[in-house]
Amino acid sequence: MNKPVFSMIKKHLVTAVTACLGFAGCSYAPPEPIPVVISQKEVSYLDDVKPVLDKRCVTCHSCYNSPCQAKFSSFDGIDRGGSKEKVYLAERLFSQKPTRLFTDAKTTEEWRAKQFFSLTQNSAEDGFNNSIMGHMLYDKKQNPEVIGEYAPEYDDVICAETLEEVSEFQDKHPNHGMPYGFPALNDKEYGIIMQWLVQGAKGPDEAKQKALQTPSVSAQTEIDKWERFLNTDDAKHAMTARYLYEHYILAHLNFKQAPNEFYALVRSSTPPGEKINVIPTLRAYDDPKRDKFYYRFEKIYSTIVHKTHIVVELDDSKFKFIKALFIDESWLEEPHVIGYDDNVLNANPFLVFAQIPPASRYRFMLDESEYFVRTFIRSPSCRGQIALNVIQDHFWVMFQDPRYDIGVTEKNFLVEQAQNLRMPIETGSDKKIYKVFSDSYRELYEQFYDAKMQKIAEVAPNGWPIEGIWKGRLASDSPALTVYRHFDSASVHKGTVGQLPKTMWVIDYAQFERIYYALVVGFDVFGNVSHQTNVRRYMDFLRLEGEINFVLYMPENKRKEILASWYLGDGIADDIQKGRDSAPAIHNSIVFKTDTPKQELVETLVDTHFIKETGIHFDDINYFRTNESIPSLPKVYKTKADYEQGLRALTAPGTGFVRHIVDNGVNIAFVRIRMKNAEDIFGTFVINRWHDNVN
């Protein structure tokens, strides 16, 4: 009997004898090494292995929520290995040290000191492999059926650190080999990975690794220009650079001269021209603890994945725009550098950047409105339905025009209100547990809201005209955005997508900045339960503020009714009305012609207000104008128009199709309609569930 066949029989015998049947003290023997047919061809990580990992593994193994923190989007992540520590652990009582790839450790030894273990190490003799990765792939090949329900991001998967734990996992979780919940690698893919593991699981050599990290010549020219700007010594440039850095921390920065390259803006201890040495701080506003540091553009060479790919394009027009906003404008104070020695101050952008005109800050954010809203939705804070249930399943977002925003026009207002604009992020990652249900930030928020309403009543007693909603200035602008929540994830789309939503937001500068700092800059995914819960609660106030900003454009006699319909059983509309009764009235300057003002307003905005160059228009399938009837299902389906009519008919409330989909727990499904003699139609079914109240 040949050796590989004998080993396979032996493996199954060992598994049967050592299977733990629930008796106390039972232990597991390591699985037998996997037989691998040896090839003389040297397997290349970049040419052979990476394409397989990108196609079959990176979908799950790329972000914060990678099972066992095993990230396969770069060799750095593979070499780092796995960990038993969970990143997402909502109930943790104390914060844990961050384990961000490329940031919190630089070498294999440093990661091992942080309790990461190898998934590729092989100590078997020639012709065999006993790496953890190899066993998980082999188990799937032997047991390819996908049985039961799989939720890779949420299932409590054992992170096997030893071969004994691999045996335990395989015994307790049959049909859970890798790729988890998906079909096995095909023979060619499996052969490539197993050969690579047997050959030592090597990464790119030094020359190829350097090539991965080195910008192209065309990109380097742009990098040099931007780094000179960001590292200019005077106070104006220094504070501008700090503002840009804190607002670009999730951006994949792209230069038009190098369209396929993306960069991260980082703080480095080394100046331009030298190798980047990233300064690892937990938050972007934390003290770098250097007398001198530099802003640098670090090339991203990990596999690009949707969750983290939020692009900002940098070109000459953007450079001139930023220079005009921040450098050419006169500041409210003599420009001076703010230090990092006060953590509470650092967490309050209304104080740190008070010297920069609010108009400059807000216009910068409006210019990248789609990027910033996407950072809210895709940041580490927005993972899982507990975080996402702060928003409705479908809503539209618009923005207050800077000319009608008291946070901009009343230049001292936000500084005067800075104490009320404090956020729970100022307490750090280990806020005391008994503070979980503290109302201190709610009280601060209410004081700000009252002051805001008073100020609006002073400067605009007749309310805002329709011009109060930002119309955009460039074709690339996004004056209207659509947010879809898919239970435990969400997405952002330019324009007014879908049917008329239940709720809508109008975001003003103070709200925009606070959402960004609460959910992105100041949120610590490694923080304790109190930190994360208080950020979640604070987001309730910010969501409500955006909704009230929209409601202020509605007729006075409709406002309470509209708000009450969004918060059934809450009584919040009564509370707001009581506060309004004791405050100066804010009237309405828009004359409505119908008894459906919400729909009338958005149709006016889309039809005549937003600049045409943005291309914002209503959804051809889902949107129905006032009094427009829903069509019936076609008798036959031959043309694209027939299918579009059928899809429009499916949006009718209470159809059997919608009930069937909802009853089966589907939130989102991708659809392909095969057409005869025409291009196939591709689309997405999205189920918008009704929430009585998300407060």
Side-chain angles (χ1 to χ4, degrees), residues 206-481:
E206 185 175 347
K208 290 181 178 179
Q209 183 64 34
K210 184 177 180 180
L212 286 175
Q213 297 175 249
T214 302
S216 63
V217 173
S218 54
Q220 189 62 56
T221 300
E222 292 301 302
I223 289 171
D224 291 343
K225 178 178 73 175
W226 282 88
E227 288 187 349
R228 280 195 301 272
F229 175 79
L230 294 171
N231 293 298
T232 300
D233 282 337
D234 67 86
K236 248 191 178 182
H237 282 85
M239 292 307 297
T240 296
R242 178 171 175 177
Y243 188 83
L244 295 178
Y245 169 69
E246 292 185 14
H247 287 75
Y248 278 154
I249 55 171
L250 291 188
H252 281 191
L253 300 164
N254 175 251
F255 305 103
K256 287 187 177 179
Q257 293 84 347
N260 297 319
E261 298 175 32
F262 300 95
Y263 294 84
L265 183 58
V266 300
R267 293 187 297 193
S268 173
S269 61
T270 52
E274 296 183 15
K275 183 178 179 180
I276 292 173
N277 182 34
V278 175
I279 300 170
T281 60
L282 184 58
R283 295 174 173 86
Y285 55 67
D286 285 345
D287 189 349
K289 297 182 179 177
R290 297 284 197 286
D291 291 334
K292 183 70 175 174
F293 62 87
Y294 306 88
Y295 296 101
R296 305 287 304 279
F297 287 81
E298 184 175 46
K299 189 176 181 183
I300 297 167
Y301 58 88
S302 297
T303 303
I304 296 297
V305 295
H306 177 267
K307 169 72 176 176
T308 57
H309 193 50
I310 315 175
V311 179
V312 171
E313 292 186 348
L314 301 179
D315 56 16
D316 287 341
S317 63
K318 179 61 65 67
F319 186 85
K320 292 175 182 176
F321 179 68
I322 289 175
K323 183 175 180 295
L325 283 182
F326 293 97
I327 305 302
D328 298 342
E329 281 285 336
S330 297
W331 285 17
L332 304 185
E333 305 169 16
E334 184 68 25
H336 56 281
V337 175
I338 301 293
Y340 289 92
D341 54 343
D342 187 335
N343 289 333
V344 173
L345 173 66
N346 293 342
N348 192 331
F350 304 104
L351 287 178
V352 171
F353 301 108
Q355 59 189 301
I356 303 175
S360 295
R361 290 177 266 156
Y362 188 29
R363 290 183 183 278
F364 167 77
M365 296 188 77
L366 286 177
D367 201 58
E368 299 291 355
S369 60
E370 189 171 2
Y371 159 75
F372 283 110
V373 175
R374 282 186 169 163
T375 65
F376 308 163
I377 296 301
R378 296 199 210 165
S379 74
S381 63
C382 282
R383 183 267 193 182
Q385 68 90 17
I386 292 176
L388 270 296
N389 69 14
V390 74
I391 58 175
Q392 297 282 349
D393 269 23
H394 176 222
F395 59 97
W396 291 343
V397 174
M398 292 157 285
F399 303 89
Q400 190 79 359
D401 189 283
R403 297 170 300 164
Y404 297 88
D405 186 337
I406 61 167
V408 174
T409 59
E410 305 296 308
K411 295 182 180 179
N412 295 320
F413 178 69
L414 295 182
V415 174
E416 292 168 354
Q417 289 295 316
Q419 290 303 309
N420 290 332
L421 291 168
R422 288 160 50 198
M423 294 168 274
I425 59 172
E426 68 182 7
T427 60
S429 303
D430 273 312
K431 187 177 176 69
K432 293 181 173 60
I433 301 301
Y434 71 85
K435 294 282 190 179
V436 168
F437 300 108
S438 169
D439 281 332
S440 58
Y441 290 99
R442 181 191 183 104
E443 292 165 359
L444 291 173
Y445 171 79
E446 288 176 346
Q447 291 169 27
F448 168 74
Y449 173 78
D450 290 343
K452 174 182 169 180
M453 292 298 105
Q454 290 274 1
K455 183 61 70 173
I456 292 175
E458 289 176 19
V459 302
N462 294 320
W464 303 124
I466 197 168
E467 288 77 18
I469 294 178
W470 184 58
K471 64 174 63 179
R473 70 179 186 95
L474 301 171
S476 58
D477 287 339
S478 300
L481 294 165

Side-chain angles (χ1 to χ4, degrees), residues 491-606:
S491 57
V492 180
H493 311 268
K494 181 177 179 177
T496 48
V497 183
Q499 62 199 32
L500 184 71
K502 172 184 171 184
T503 65
M504 301 187 196
W505 297 15
V506 173
I507 294 179
D508 59 29
Y509 171 60
Q511 183 196 9
F512 212 4
E513 200 79 271
R514 280 176 293 157
I515 298 177
Y516 179 69
Y517 270 79
L519 296 187
V520 181
V521 188
F523 182 81
D524 178 16
V525 70
F526 301 95
N528 74 345
V529 61
S530 185
H531 163 72
Q532 299 195 24
T533 302
N534 275 282
V535 170
R536 164 64 180 82
R537 291 186 69 207
Y538 193 76
M539 186 58 206
D540 273 326
F541 315 148
L542 297 175
R543 178 201 63 247
L544 183 59
E545 184 173 356
E547 293 168 342
I548 294 174
N549 286 347
F550 175 82
V551 170
L552 286 178
Y553 283 90
M554 295 290 97
E556 291 174 78
N557 63 347
K558 291 278 188 180
R559 293 173 185 171
K560 181 179 176 182
E561 171 190 332
I562 291 171
L563 199 59
S565 71
W566 296 352
Y567 290 89
L568 296 180
D570 192 292
I572 198 164
D574 290 325
D575 293 341
I576 291 172
Q577 185 64 46
K578 288 176 184 176
R580 186 175 294 124
D581 290 342
S582 62
I586 300 173
H587 303 296
N588 178 259
S589 65
I590 302 174
V591 178
F592 290 95
K593 301 175 182 178
T594 70
D595 61 356
T596 55
K598 181 174 79 171
Q599 186 160 8
E600 183 179 342
L601 176 62
V602 297
E603 289 182 0
T604 302
L605 291 170
V606 172

Side-chain angles (χ1 to χ4, degrees), residues 664-679:
N664 282 273
V666 174
N667 293 285
I668 184 171
F670 301 107
V671 181
R672 178 181 185 178
I673 301 174
R674 295 185 181 275
M675 303 290 289
K676 291 183 178 180
N677 304 319
E679 290 186 3

